[in-house]
Amino acid sequence: MVVGEEKMSVRKRLSKSSNHAEEEEEDQRDCAEESQEALSNGRVDLKQLISKKIKLTAEAEELKPFFMKEVGSHFDDFVTNLIEKSTSLDNGGCALTSFSIFEGDNNHRAKDLRAPPEHGKIFVTRRSVLDELFEVDHIRTIYHMFIALLILFILSTLAVDYIDEGRLVLEFNLMSYAFGKLTVVLWTWLTMFLCTLTVPYFLFQRWARGYHRTSHPVVHSFIHCFLFVVFQIGVLGLGPLYVVLAYTLPPASRCIVILEQIRFIMKTHSFVRENVPRVLNSAKEKSSTVPVPTVNQYLYFLFAPTLIYRDSYPRTPTVRWGYVTMQFAQVFGCLFYVYYVFERICTPLFRNIKQEPFSARVLILCIFNSILPGALILFLTFFAFLHCWLNAFAEMLRFGDRMFYKDWWNSTSYSNYYRTWNVVVHDWLYYYAYKDFLWFFTKRLRAVAMLAVFAVSATVHEYALAVSLSFFYPVLFVLFMFFGMAFNFIVNDSRKRPIWNVLMWTSLFAGNAVLLCFYSQEWYARQHCPLKNPTFLDYIRPRSWTCRYVF
């Protein structure tokens, strides 16, 4: 019935388009007849032709928004619903998920039953949203505007240096400092990668092959689970953290190590979470084969731009090396863009702060002055990582599903923004945090499950930022955990009017300005008001509230 209704709606839209096309053809025939009549009389009525042209142009302009609205509002929904319906038909008419068995009237918990991986996230071959939008000249012009702004930043820097120094100063002291000690970063990453490649796979393989033969499966599973948790916390958790602190890595180098640490932890969890139910099901069915993925499948997953494990993914036929080169070039371009934003906007802003105590006046001025650089850094971070970096690796690996983000810029609610901003991380949180929480505590605690997901996400974000900046200043945690969660419930999916998109963008710009202002003030305060023998409390106590410094 639903598929039939959808087909009828498609026929109606096509019939509407055909009706408009017929009307347009009739107008063209009338215009041709009038033109022939005018010519046959031996004269051409110029005013009549101009008025007819204006009329046709107005009608075309009326049809254009109708066509664009129809395409934008129905095409994506139609394809998505079609995929979901085909999946439900494969499952016997029921869209089975890992938790659909708990949605009956009995509502009993059968924790030993988990759906196989193919009933979770569905991977299909599709392009990234920006790759499709950049084929439209109007959208690509916005991309050109950002390039022009980068050129102006570069010219501004060169001009100011030439006026002040009498020469062109092509130095990148800030960037060389931020990415210092890269050799330590490289061998730390290589160590993490080799450990992630060998230890989890060896533990899982040993557990899976021994689970069928052991007479004490619970004890056997507990031992291997304990060893896996020790590896996650001790090796992947504390190991990189020790290197970051012991070698006093600069901020950008620290960020690379910590983000890779988090990525490896999430990858190994997904690998174990997706494959353990298959081993348990094969043991129940007393199958002679043990479903253990190959090393090549696990290795591909470690590099694939996704956090959801599958034995195989949709692949593209070839690798476009020109496309890969372009994506990496844009990543480096965004990196220099961020450098010039800090060099020309942020550094002068915070260096020119007067010797004043921390007050509401200083804070408000700082926040409003940070809106522009905060917005630019938001756009550049999104474009460099979620689009260019992930698409480059996807192209090299022929990874077909390029939906790393959705059209988050059109969001009219924060709940939709959280789902569409970073689809890669959202999928992991949805399947392994939110849905597993509901599986364990039943589906009645959806609000508690959402709260737990927000707490996990806010804690991990604050951990990465605290380690990267070498101080704990939980501004991001407060904004994410309290304001972000409140907006998620208040500004929900029922808000559809354009004004809510305006409010979403306003709060997004304001939030990034608050983060940039607070963390920059704290960074400069700790640089210019150092303590000789800092205690643990000194690392978590805000220095910018009490420090008075002169540049």
Side-chain angles (χ1 to χ4, degrees):
M1 287 293 293
V2 178
V3 177
E5 292 175 359
E6 188 163 315
K7 290 182 179 178
M8 290 295 295
S9 63
V10 173
R11 293 195 189 99
K12 290 180 181 178
R13 292 196 295 271
L14 293 176
S15 63
K16 289 181 181 179
S17 301
S18 62
N19 292 335
H20 283 286
E22 292 175 358
E23 293 175 0
E24 187 174 355
E25 290 178 358
E26 292 178 359
D27 292 337
Q28 290 178 355
R29 286 196 296 268
D30 293 340
C31 181
E33 293 174 358
E34 291 176 2
S35 299
Q36 292 177 357
E37 182 180 354
L39 290 174
S40 63
N41 293 333
R43 61 184 180 83
V44 176
D45 193 344
L46 185 60
K47 292 183 178 180
Q48 184 178 1
L49 290 177
I50 293 176
S51 62
K52 178 62 67 174
K53 184 177 181 180
I54 294 175
K55 180 180 178 181
L56 291 176
T57 304
E59 292 178 355
E61 289 297 326
E62 291 179 359
L63 288 175
K64 185 190 298 183
F66 168 78
F67 175 76
M68 296 300 295
K69 183 178 180 180
E70 287 293 310
V71 172
S73 61
H74 295 290
F75 182 73
D76 288 340
D77 293 339
F78 175 75
V79 174
T80 302
N81 292 333
L82 188 62
I83 294 173
E84 291 178 353
K85 290 179 179 63
S86 64
T87 305
S88 64
L89 291 175
D90 292 338
N91 295 326
C94 175
L96 179 64
T97 63
S98 300
F99 307 92
S100 60
I101 57 176
F102 303 118
E103 296 179 1
D105 295 332
N106 50 6
N107 199 27
H108 64 280
R109 290 193 296 179
K111 296 183 181 179
D112 57 330
L113 296 178
R114 285 183 184 268
E118 58 267 21
H119 293 115
K121 178 179 173 61
I122 300 174
F123 291 89
V124 296
T125 302
R126 49 192 166 185
R127 301 169 64 193
S128 292
V129 178
L130 286 183
D131 280 340
E132 296 177 345
L133 292 179
F134 281 158
E135 294 181 357
V136 181
D137 293 337
H138 302 290
I139 304 299
R140 193 165 184 82
T141 300
I142 301 176
Y143 172 75
H144 296 159
M145 292 166 60
F146 276 88
I147 296 178
L149 191 58
L150 173 61
I151 295 174
L152 292 177
F153 271 126
I154 296 174
L155 294 177
S156 173
T157 303
L158 295 177
V160 171
D161 290 341
Y162 184 79
I163 294 173
D164 294 341
E165 303 291 337
R167 60 187 180 88
L168 295 179
V169 182
L170 297 176
E171 297 178 355
F172 300 95
N173 296 328
L174 180 61
M175 186 175 296
S176 60
Y177 161 72
F179 288 92
K181 301 182 180 180
L182 282 181
T183 54
V184 179
V185 175
L186 291 177
W187 68 255
T188 303
W189 180 89
L190 183 60
T191 304
M192 286 193 297
F193 170 73
L194 293 177
C195 291
T196 305
L197 177 63
T198 56
V199 177
Y201 185 82
F202 172 77
L203 286 176
F204 174 78
Q205 185 184 54
R206 185 179 177 85
W207 170 81
R209 300 191 185 283
Y211 187 83
H212 290 69
R213 300 189 300 263
T214 182
S215 57
H216 302 284
V218 176
V219 177
H220 179 78
S221 299
F222 177 80
I223 294 174
H224 286 81
C225 179
F226 175 77
L227 293 176
F228 178 74
V229 173
V230 170
F231 168 79
Q232 290 278 75
I233 298 176
V235 179
L236 288 183
L238 299 179
L241 184 60
Y242 170 78
V243 173
V244 163
L245 299 178
Y247 287 87
T248 60
L249 297 181
S253 299
R254 290 188 175 206
C255 186
I256 294 173
V257 173
I258 295 303
L259 292 181
E260 284 296 286
Q261 172 200 44
I262 297 172
R263 185 177 73 91
F264 283 134
I265 292 176
M266 298 171 76
K267 289 260 189 183
T268 54
H269 178 86
S270 175
F271 175 75
V272 173
R273 166 63 181 83
E274 296 290 348
N275 285 287
V276 165
R278 299 197 301 183
V279 176
L280 297 178
N281 290 334
S282 66
K284 290 180 181 179
E285 297 172 0
K286 297 181 179 180
S287 175
S288 58
T289 59
V290 181
V292 178
T294 63
V295 177
N296 290 335
Q297 290 173 329
Y298 180 53
L299 179 62
Y300 181 88
F301 169 64
L302 290 182
F303 285 99
T306 179
L307 297 174
I308 306 295
Y309 175 81
R310 295 291 182 268
D311 288 339
S312 61
Y313 301 92
R315 307 285 288 274
T316 56
T318 58
V319 178
R320 300 171 295 170
W321 290 108
Y323 179 84
V324 174
T325 304
M326 184 62 182
Q327 299 308 310
F328 280 124
Q330 291 180 130
V331 170
F332 285 106
C334 291
L335 185 62
F336 281 98
Y337 209 141
V338 172
Y339 164 76
Y340 281 109
V341 169
F342 274 100
E343 186 72 19
R344 302 308 308 161
I345 301 179
C346 297
T347 301
L349 171 64
F350 295 104
R351 280 183 177 174
N352 292 329
I353 294 178
K354 298 180 180 180
Q355 187 178 0
E356 298 181 22
F358 186 84
S359 62
R361 175 183 175 276
V362 173
L363 181 61
I364 292 175
L365 291 177
C366 175
I367 291 175
F368 279 101
N369 289 328
S370 301
I371 291 178
L372 176 59
L376 290 175
I377 292 172
L378 171 69
F379 293 140
L380 293 170
T381 303
F382 159 74
F383 183 72
F385 179 71
L386 290 177
H387 180 74
C388 298
W389 185 264
L390 295 182
N391 269 293
F393 275 88
E395 187 67 29
M396 289 189 295
L397 296 171
R398 297 192 295 117
F399 186 82
D401 197 336
R402 312 286 175 89
M403 195 185 69
F404 309 124
Y405 56 89
K406 298 180 183 178
D407 57 337
W408 58 270
W409 47 85
N410 292 326
S411 299
T412 56
S413 65
Y414 264 88
S415 56
N416 184 70
Y417 168 74
Y418 292 140
R419 290 193 300 266
T420 56
W421 159 258
N422 188 343
V423 175
V424 179
V425 174
H426 173 268
D427 288 340
W428 193 94
L429 290 173
Y430 177 73
Y431 287 107
Y432 304 139
Y434 178 74
K435 298 198 78 172
D436 278 1
F437 185 94
L438 292 180
W439 168 81
F440 192 83
F441 293 103
T442 74
K443 66 176 184 178
R444 291 174 295 181
L445 302 177
R446 295 185 182 274
V448 179
M450 188 176 298
L451 178 63
V453 172
F454 267 95
V456 170
S457 181
T459 302
V460 173
H461 279 79
E462 189 61 44
Y463 162 75
L465 202 55
V467 176
S468 300
L469 298 178
S470 302
F471 60 80
F472 177 73
Y473 198 23
V475 180
L476 177 62
F477 183 86
V478 172
L479 289 180
F480 203 107
M481 189 64 188
F482 296 98
F483 292 97
M485 186 175 61
F487 288 150
N488 182 70
F489 288 100
I490 297 174
V491 188
N492 50 41
D493 289 331
S494 62
R495 317 294 185 179
K496 298 295 184 181
R497 299 180 62 184
I499 186 62
W500 293 106
N501 181 254
V502 175
L503 294 178
M504 192 277 294
W505 275 110
T506 303
S507 59
L508 199 61
F509 287 151
N512 282 276
V514 169
L515 294 176
L516 182 61
C517 172
F518 273 86
Y519 284 108
S520 298
Q521 280 191 338
E522 185 67 18
W523 170 267
Y524 276 101
R526 290 179 179 271
Q527 295 296 316
H528 294 84
C529 296
L531 300 178
K532 294 183 178 180
N533 297 311
T535 62
F536 175 76
L537 292 177
D538 293 326
Y539 285 101
I540 63 176
R541 183 185 297 118
R543 196 88 47 89
S544 58
W545 295 4
T546 57
C547 175
R548 295 187 182 183
Y549 49 90
V550 181
F551 296 102

Tab-separated table of all heavy atoms in Angstrom, residues 20 43 47 185 195 198 228 249 251 300 302 384 401 473 509 525:
chain	number	residue	atom	x	y	z
A	20	HIS	N	2.358	21.298	-17.250
A	20	HIS	CA	3.090	22.545	-17.450
A	20	HIS	C	3.805	22.539	-18.799
A	20	HIS	O	3.889	23.566	-19.476
A	20	HIS	CB	4.090	22.741	-16.317
A	20	HIS	CG	3.460	23.201	-15.047
A	20	HIS	ND1	2.994	24.479	-14.849
A	20	HIS	CD2	3.214	22.523	-13.883
A	20	HIS	CE1	2.493	24.594	-13.633
A	20	HIS	NE2	2.607	23.418	-13.030
A	43	ARG	N	5.097	43.148	-41.764
A	43	ARG	CA	5.669	44.000	-40.726
A	43	ARG	C	5.852	43.183	-39.443
A	43	ARG	O	5.251	42.131	-39.270
A	43	ARG	CB	4.757	45.191	-40.443
A	43	ARG	CG	3.368	44.787	-39.939
A	43	ARG	CD	2.459	45.977	-39.750
A	43	ARG	NE	1.158	45.566	-39.279
A	43	ARG	CZ	0.855	45.324	-38.012
A	43	ARG	NH1	1.789	45.451	-37.078
A	43	ARG	NH2	-0.373	44.938	-37.668
A	47	LYS	N	6.940	45.681	-30.203
A	47	LYS	CA	6.420	45.740	-28.841
A	47	LYS	C	5.715	44.436	-28.473
A	47	LYS	O	5.805	43.960	-27.348
A	47	LYS	CB	5.456	46.914	-28.700
A	47	LYS	CG	6.135	48.276	-28.800
A	47	LYS	CD	5.126	49.391	-28.580
A	47	LYS	CE	5.807	50.762	-28.641
A	47	LYS	NZ	4.838	51.864	-28.425
A	185	VAL	N	55.160	11.963	16.579
A	185	VAL	CA	53.785	11.666	16.190
A	185	VAL	C	53.743	10.453	15.261
A	185	VAL	O	52.886	9.563	15.413
A	185	VAL	CB	53.148	12.893	15.505
A	185	VAL	CG1	51.756	12.557	14.980
A	185	VAL	CG2	53.076	14.061	16.472
A	195	CYS	N	49.566	-2.189	17.016
A	195	CYS	CA	48.873	-2.804	18.159
A	195	CYS	C	47.401	-3.046	17.849
A	195	CYS	O	46.845	-4.100	18.183
A	195	CYS	CB	49.021	-1.919	19.393
A	195	CYS	SG	50.700	-1.833	20.062
A	198	THR	N	47.015	-6.081	15.395
A	198	THR	CA	47.363	-7.432	15.849
A	198	THR	C	46.575	-7.891	17.076
A	198	THR	O	45.979	-8.968	17.067
A	198	THR	CB	48.864	-7.500	16.140
A	198	THR	OG1	49.209	-6.478	17.103
A	198	THR	CG2	49.668	-7.282	14.873
A	228	PHE	N	40.690	-7.773	26.394
A	228	PHE	CA	40.352	-6.736	25.406
A	228	PHE	C	40.164	-5.381	26.070
A	228	PHE	O	40.629	-4.349	25.551
A	228	PHE	CB	39.094	-7.144	24.645
A	228	PHE	CG	38.630	-6.128	23.653
A	228	PHE	CD1	39.312	-5.937	22.461
A	228	PHE	CD2	37.504	-5.351	23.908
A	228	PHE	CE1	38.880	-4.990	21.538
A	228	PHE	CE2	37.068	-4.411	23.001
A	228	PHE	CZ	37.758	-4.224	21.807
A	249	LEU	N	54.323	17.414	23.510
A	249	LEU	CA	54.026	17.720	22.116
A	249	LEU	C	53.251	19.030	22.012
A	249	LEU	O	52.451	19.370	22.895
A	249	LEU	CB	53.213	16.588	21.488
A	249	LEU	CG	53.890	15.219	21.409
A	249	LEU	CD1	52.954	14.220	20.730
A	249	LEU	CD2	55.210	15.292	20.664
A	251	PRO	N	50.348	21.720	20.342
A	251	PRO	CA	48.894	21.478	20.259
A	251	PRO	C	48.442	20.649	19.055
A	251	PRO	O	47.695	19.678	19.217
A	251	PRO	CB	48.306	22.890	20.193
A	251	PRO	CG	49.320	23.747	20.854
A	251	PRO	CD	50.644	23.142	20.532
A	300	TYR	N	41.453	-3.507	5.857
A	300	TYR	CA	40.714	-2.535	5.041
A	300	TYR	C	39.824	-1.667	5.920
A	300	TYR	O	39.719	-0.444	5.706
A	300	TYR	CB	39.883	-3.277	4.004
A	300	TYR	CG	39.102	-2.362	3.081
A	300	TYR	CD1	39.670	-1.874	1.916
A	300	TYR	CD2	37.790	-1.990	3.392
A	300	TYR	CE1	38.957	-1.037	1.065
A	300	TYR	CE2	37.077	-1.154	2.559
A	300	TYR	CZ	37.654	-0.679	1.395
A	300	TYR	OH	36.953	0.165	0.572
A	302	LEU	N	40.301	-0.754	8.985
A	302	LEU	CA	41.078	0.209	9.771
A	302	LEU	C	41.363	1.486	8.984
A	302	LEU	O	41.524	2.557	9.575
A	302	LEU	CB	42.389	-0.422	10.239
A	302	LEU	CG	42.277	-1.518	11.306
A	302	LEU	CD1	43.659	-2.019	11.700
A	302	LEU	CD2	41.531	-1.013	12.536
A	384	ALA	N	37.597	20.629	5.273
A	384	ALA	CA	38.894	19.953	5.178
A	384	ALA	C	38.808	18.500	5.610
A	384	ALA	O	39.348	17.615	4.935
A	384	ALA	CB	39.933	20.694	6.022
A	401	ASP	N	30.449	4.323	-0.389
A	401	ASP	CA	29.483	5.129	0.359
A	401	ASP	C	30.167	6.393	0.866
A	401	ASP	O	30.916	6.363	1.848
A	401	ASP	CB	28.907	4.321	1.526
A	401	ASP	CG	27.634	4.939	2.066
A	401	ASP	OD1	27.440	6.159	1.888
A	401	ASP	OD2	26.822	4.210	2.661
A	473	TYR	N	39.489	23.197	30.783
A	473	TYR	CA	38.615	24.368	30.867
A	473	TYR	C	37.300	23.962	30.204
A	473	TYR	O	37.114	24.137	29.006
A	473	TYR	CB	39.266	25.539	30.127
A	473	TYR	CG	38.708	26.904	30.465
A	473	TYR	CD1	38.042	27.156	31.657
A	473	TYR	CD2	38.860	27.960	29.576
A	473	TYR	CE1	37.562	28.412	31.958
A	473	TYR	CE2	38.386	29.224	29.856
A	473	TYR	CZ	37.735	29.441	31.050
A	473	TYR	OH	37.244	30.696	31.349
A	509	PHE	N	27.002	30.131	15.354
A	509	PHE	CA	28.070	31.126	15.281
A	509	PHE	C	28.443	31.640	16.673
A	509	PHE	O	29.622	31.817	16.995
A	509	PHE	CB	27.643	32.296	14.394
A	509	PHE	CG	27.618	31.962	12.933
A	509	PHE	CD1	26.745	32.617	12.071
A	509	PHE	CD2	28.457	30.997	12.407
A	509	PHE	CE1	26.720	32.311	10.727
A	509	PHE	CE2	28.433	30.674	11.058
A	509	PHE	CZ	27.568	31.340	10.220
A	525	ALA	N	46.680	33.423	28.736
A	525	ALA	CA	46.892	33.625	30.166
A	525	ALA	C	47.916	32.643	30.712
A	525	ALA	O	48.794	32.998	31.510
A	525	ALA	CB	45.563	33.496	30.920
